[in-house]
Amino acid sequence: MSDRSTSEPITVVGLLADPNLPGELATRLADGLPQVLSARLDVPRTWRVETVVEPFEANDRGEGALDRARERVRRTRWDVAVCLTDVPAKSSGVPVVAQVGERERVAVISVPALGGVRLLPRVRDAVVDLVGRLLGIDAAPAARRPTRRTALLHEPGATTEDTDETVVTQRGSLRLLAGMVRTNRPWRLTLGLSAALAGAAAGSAFGLLYSNLWELAAALDVWRLALAFVGSLAIFVFWLIVGHRLWERTGPERGLGRLLNLGTVLTLTVGTGVFSLVLLVLNSAVASVIIPVDYLAQVLGRPVGVAEYGRIVVLATIMGLVAGAVGSGLEDDATVRQVAYGHRQQDRRDLAARLETVSEEE
């Protein structure tokens, strides 16, 4: 350590994060955060960052995320703590970006409220802003000009005071909804639907191998095929929700409950949409190999081209999606339920209870 760093006070910043995406973000932030804090906060200080990933937000002590964060950080020697959770919150019907406890120097960031794009830079900016705020340190001159990312915490009128706590809010449920879908990570759902993929492959094979279905596909109007394709996606999503009990009952915050369910539906829609695109590509490759042009022209009784192949592939994909929806009922509940906040929180409560039991035994 240099002479300059040894003469400066050391400030320990704790990053406490829920598992899954918040934990991944905290881990990625930790390495470069001391340098960012030194560059953006106007104070000579040595920064040290410690990261803990555990389901602090699932602990039922206290009334809210900030209370549970306070309970957890009391066991640490951090100078300031910033906690990351993927659980959305609202205050007076407005999405909550962060909850700040000035006295204990603790803040909780609701990651979904930061949106669905450029998430890591936004979380980094929010963490730096909150650390400076809790320690009473002004931003360095070079960092005082707010960017579009930091505007989430700097817009005038975005905070409401309540004793020593501050709730930072930001209008825009669409941003929150996009952040919820991003936090649910729908691509993981797509990768986990192995049983559904097997069913979809069987259904698609039936559509690609039977000449009667070729004739039907060629006879259907484009709008009928499009409507059937959308309907098959809706069946898939509905089957996942019902088969794995993903619909969450609305609690006291009815608006937030509806938003949670809407986020689940959109996540499933994105996930099944990616699933259908993969199936379309696979069916196109198979159709180009196993259906000869001459034989298809003989069956249809006219010259054929890309349009006829496209109709057959779409119809086969529709059949595959319906079969995949049935096959999704055989999927492991844990794989599918990770897209629903309520089930994810229940898993974290179980983990938190186990960790607390182990701690008491030690």
Side-chain angles (χ1 to χ4, degrees):
M1 186 176 294
S2 65
D3 294 338
R4 176 179 178 272
S5 60
T6 55
S7 63
E8 294 174 354
I10 298 176
T11 300
V12 181
V13 177
L15 292 180
L16 176 62
D18 273 333
N20 302 316
L21 182 60
E24 294 176 10
L25 290 170
T27 302
R28 293 172 63 186
L29 282 175
D31 290 338
L33 189 57
Q35 292 78 11
V36 176
L37 289 168
S38 297
R40 296 192 186 181
L41 296 182
D42 192 16
V43 64
R45 187 170 302 211
T46 299
W47 301 93
R48 187 168 74 237
V49 177
E50 297 181 2
T51 304
V52 175
V53 178
E54 66 177 46
F56 80 93
E57 213 281 332
N59 191 325
D60 288 330
R61 295 174 179 169
E63 297 180 354
L66 185 59
D67 295 314
R68 292 189 281 273
R70 286 189 179 115
E71 179 69 24
R72 175 60 182 83
V73 301
R74 285 194 184 105
R75 305 194 297 258
T76 70
R77 295 184 178 180
W78 298 337
D79 296 299
V80 59
V82 180
C83 310
L84 306 179
T85 179
D86 61 4
V87 179
K90 280 191 171 185
S91 176
S92 302
V94 181
V96 172
V97 178
Q99 301 173 58
V100 184
E102 306 283 353
R103 185 183 305 156
E104 295 88 354
R105 293 180 176 177
V106 179
V108 177
I109 297 174
S110 178
V111 174
L114 297 176
V117 296
R118 306 191 68 179
L119 196 53
L120 185 63
R122 285 184 173 184
V123 172
R124 182 188 298 115
D125 291 342
V127 169
V128 173
D129 181 89
L130 289 171
V131 168
R133 183 175 185 165
L134 290 169
L135 295 176
I137 302 173
D138 294 330
R144 286 175 185 169
R145 184 177 179 181
T147 64
R148 293 180 63 183
R149 298 192 298 272
T150 59
L152 287 169
L153 294 178
H154 287 289
E155 285 192 1
T159 62
T160 57
E161 299 293 338
D162 182 13
T163 63
D164 68 316
E165 300 179 11
T166 303
V167 178
V168 183
T169 60
Q170 172 67 39
R171 295 191 178 276
S173 292
L174 288 179
R175 180 187 288 115
L176 175 60
L177 192 58
M180 290 168 61
V181 173
R182 171 68 177 83
T183 302
N184 286 339
R185 296 183 286 187
W187 55 89
R188 290 199 170 189
L189 171 68
T190 304
L191 296 174
L193 293 175
S194 56
L197 183 59
S204 297
F206 185 81
L208 292 174
L209 294 175
Y210 283 84
S211 58
N212 288 341
L213 292 174
W214 303 348
E215 294 175 339
L216 175 61
L220 288 175
D221 295 326
V222 173
W223 69 268
R224 291 182 187 276
L225 280 172
L227 186 61
F229 187 82
V230 173
S232 64
L233 284 176
I235 291 172
F236 205 156
V237 171
F238 177 78
W239 202 284
L240 286 170
I241 291 174
V242 173
H244 297 277
R245 301 180 298 278
L246 300 182
W247 198 258
E248 301 180 16
R249 296 180 180 179
T250 57
E253 296 183 73
R254 297 184 60 185
L256 182 58
R258 287 194 295 267
L259 197 64
L260 291 176
N261 285 324
L262 181 56
T264 298
V265 171
L266 288 178
T267 301
L268 292 174
T269 301
V270 173
T272 54
V274 174
F275 183 92
S276 67
L277 290 177
V278 172
L279 196 59
L280 272 171
V281 173
L282 292 176
N283 288 338
S284 298
V286 173
S288 65
V289 172
I290 69 172
I291 304 178
V293 176
D294 295 340
Y295 182 62
L296 179 58
Q298 181 182 342
V299 171
L300 299 182
R302 66 172 188 269
V304 298
V306 176
E308 284 72 24
Y309 274 92
R311 291 169 187 267
I312 293 171
V313 167
V314 171
L315 182 60
T317 301
I318 291 170
M319 298 177 65
L321 287 173
V322 175
V326 177
S328 68
L330 302 175
E331 297 289 355
D332 180 18
D333 278 347
T335 300
V336 180
R337 288 184 176 184
Q338 284 301 306
V339 305
Y341 278 95
H343 293 288
R344 200 155 64 234
Q345 280 297 90
Q346 184 58 52
D347 291 342
R348 291 176 182 174
R349 290 189 185 98
D350 294 341
L351 177 58
R354 291 196 299 270
L355 292 174
E356 187 169 354
T357 301
V358 172
S359 178
E360 290 176 353
E361 290 176 353
E362 292 177 350

